[in-house]
Amino acid sequence: MAKKLFIETLGCAMNVRDSEHIIAELSTKEDYELIERCEDADLILINTCSVREKPVQKLFSEIGQFNKKKKPDAKIGVCGCTASHLGEEIIKRAPYVDFVLGARNVSKITDVIHRKGAVEVDIDFDESTYAFSDYRNTPYKALINISIGCDKECTYCIVPATRGEEISIPPELIIQEASKAAKSGAKEIFLLGQNVNNYGRRFSDGRRKIDFSDLLQMVSEIDEVERIRFTSPHPLHMDDKFLEVFASNPKICKSMHMPLQSGSTEILRAMKRGYSKEWFLDRAFKLRELVPDVHISTDIIVAFPGETKADFEDTMDVIEQVRFEQIFSFKYSPRPLTKAAEMEPVDPQIASERLTRLQNRHMEILDDITAAQKGRVFDVYFDELKSGGMVSGRSDNNFIVQVRGSEELLGKTLPVKITEPRRMVLYGEVLQQES
Ligand code: SAH
Ligand code: SF4
Ligand code: F3S
């Protein structure tokens, strides 16, 4: 009888993909099957995120809970970015943890499950050409890694210390994977990396032939691929060629993540982001001009050390000017192994006030954007059943759209008229069935 695997995934899309790789390796090579209750599992894995302090604090209480609930002989493994960063300290603090597997060591999963006390957290390990077995959470879209690691040195960010130096995955492997996934029904391909538009800078074998714009074109030439999305691009590398390919290729979805972090050129310099407020605005305006219906999302860190009131006003000013469709905003959280951790923090009260003001203003902008969608028609690719007889999908420009319906809509792209727009979901009606 197959052994049972429970896996909890925290953090970003790269972790979601790493978990899929773990499930794939364990089900094809070790006869595990995925289950949903940790109480019944033979192996409990938690795939962790280290990007802010809170999730790391939660980790130890969470693995303590798993230890209480688990079957007596079940194993517990800690994977992901916190595994990379804390390493054997995890087993010292929680001796019932059986092994620790770092974010860049996923291919070693079938080995560490057999070695009690194993700690595999080498951030120089190169998995860029490893052929993982196949598993996807959904048949309708495929997450595909195009690079591992990150070569930037943003002074607040722990990721380079948990995922190591950036290496691009060879284009032929990406195309092979995309082609296979699309032929088996994943019409949407989601390309992943910490810095996708820096693609092609370094391969394991030293060659350098193509950049991200070329890769996008290559993926779009696969007949069965209907939609291409990607995350995260870096504003610094949004050159004209990239924006023009983005605008002109009909398969590339018209939704761009532009992680601003701060609107103040001074703070951007202290963060080592490599661009100014003016550059960011220039790119965002160019994008809105090239693709009038584009959806722009962003990440913002409020109260980075040294952020003055005037710096924060610069961030608010960018929000007014760009009118982002989506903002992921966070209070700065000091992280070990980063330069900013040594800098003088902003008063926590002021930090909270700034975050609230930013989020409130964004909600007002979002309400305007949402209301303007009433009566519009979007092509929606349906990929998820929801409760209450609803089916969910996304418009090309990334609005979440739900309609009444059943399984038969899944995997189809259909025109939907928006009847009731809400902040998080636009509700609508399918106009006609696909012929
Ligand atoms: N490579 C991506 C970011 C990955 S981390 C990029 O450059 O956009 C995801 C987001 O977490 C970041 O964009 C940033 O906004 C946030 N973040 C990273 N470190 C943080 C910290 N120390 N405190 C608060 N937020 C942080
Ligand atoms: Fe972190 Fe910057 Fe790399 Fe993004 S680009 S993962 S924020 S170091
Ligand atoms: Fe978190 Fe690691 Fe992703 S720190 S955001 S899981 S790269």
Side-chain angles (χ1 to χ4, degrees), residues 168-177 199 203 207 209-210 215 218:
S168 299
I169 292 171
E172 57 277 8
L173 296 184
I174 297 168
I175 298 304
Q176 205 177 42
E177 197 180 345
Y199 179 79
F203 292 98
R207 67 182 153 165
K209 287 192 197 110
I210 74 166
L215 181 71
M218 285 164 73

Side-chain angles (χ1 to χ4, degrees), residues 10-12 15 48-51 81 158-159 162-163 194:
L10 310 167
C12 64
N15 259 17
T48 58
C49 173
S50 228
V51 85
C81 284
I158 197 171
V159 173
T162 66
R163 289 189 181 260
Q194 287 302 344

Side-chain angles (χ1 to χ4, degrees), residues 317-388:
D317 182 47
V318 176
I319 290 174
E320 292 305 328
Q321 295 203 53
V322 178
R323 294 176 67 84
F324 298 102
E325 277 76 9
Q326 196 172 19
I327 299 183
F328 301 94
S329 51
F330 317 93
K331 254 189 279 184
Y332 167 74
S333 168
R335 309 302 299 122
L337 313 170
T338 64
K339 293 210 174 82
E342 294 146 29
M343 297 161 73
E344 192 65 37
V346 170
D347 177 83
Q349 175 79 25
I350 294 177
S352 297
E353 284 165 16
R354 286 180 187 169
L355 186 67
T356 307
R357 197 179 130 207
L358 185 151
Q359 291 179 337
N360 288 345
R361 180 61 192 131
H362 173 58
M363 282 304 145
E364 290 169 5
I365 293 174
L366 188 58
D367 283 342
D368 287 350
I369 293 171
T370 305
Q373 308 313 315
K374 188 160 180 159
R376 293 190 63 193
V377 176
F378 291 106
D379 282 336
V380 176
Y381 178 53
F382 290 101
D383 62 2
E384 204 183 339
L385 280 182
K386 291 283 175 186
S387 57

Side-chain angles (χ1 to χ4, degrees), residues 15-165:
N15 259 17
V16 175
R17 184 63 183 141
D18 288 345
S19 286
E20 288 182 339
H21 281 151
I22 288 173
I23 297 163
E25 291 292 289
L26 289 177
S27 57
T28 53
K29 298 181 183 158
E30 293 283 339
D31 195 27
Y32 274 91
E33 67 178 16
L34 190 64
I35 59 161
E36 305 218 328
R37 270 168 47 94
C38 65
E39 289 86 345
D40 303 326
D42 301 295
L43 175 60
I44 296 178
L45 297 179
I46 174 159
N47 196 5
T48 58
C49 173
S50 228
V51 85
R52 279 169 293 276
E53 200 173 2
K54 243 197 200 140
V56 179
Q57 288 165 348
K58 257 181 57 189
L59 170 68
F60 285 96
S61 63
E62 212 160 3
I63 44 182
Q65 287 299 317
F66 284 139
N67 188 41
K68 276 190 204 137
K69 290 187 200 160
K70 77 180 180 84
K71 292 199 295 193
D73 53 353
K75 292 177 189 162
I76 297 183
V78 177
C79 314
C81 284
T82 312
S84 302
H85 134 230
L86 294 180
E88 56 192 305
E89 199 187 318
I90 295 176
I91 296 187
K92 282 196 192 125
R93 277 176 70 177
Y96 47 82
V97 168
D98 289 273
F99 60 86
V100 175
L101 183 71
R104 206 181 160 126
N105 298 257
V106 174
S107 58
K108 299 176 190 163
I109 183 70
T110 50
D111 169 43
V112 291
I113 56 167
H114 299 296
R115 288 198 287 124
K116 172 128 184 93
V119 177
E120 292 288 347
V121 293
D122 178 5
I123 63 158
D124 295 322
F125 190 61
D126 181 0
E127 292 190 312
S128 66
T129 55
Y130 184 84
F132 284 101
S133 307
D134 232 0
Y135 171 84
R136 299 194 182 280
N137 292 331
T138 160
Y140 306 112
K141 58 182 172 193
L143 302 177
I144 297 181
N145 289 342
I146 67 163
S147 60
I148 57 176
C150 180
D151 267 359
K152 299 282 175 199
E153 295 172 341
C154 303
T155 53
Y156 52 81
C157 183
I158 197 171
V159 173
T162 66
R163 289 189 181 260
E165 77 175 7

Side-chain angles (χ1 to χ4, degrees), residues 11 42 63 86 167 174 178-179 186 200 254-255 268 272 280 288 311 335 337 363 366-367 379 383 399 408 412 432:
D42 301 295
I63 44 182
L86 294 180
I167 300 180
I174 297 168
S179 193
K254 300 304 176 255
S255 122
L268 288 168
K272 271 189 108 177
F280 187 94
R288 292 246 192 246
D311 292 322
R335 309 302 299 122
L337 313 170
M363 282 304 145
L366 188 58
D367 283 342
D379 282 336
D383 62 2
F399 284 117
E408 74 229 25
K412 290 188 178 152
Q432 69 200 47

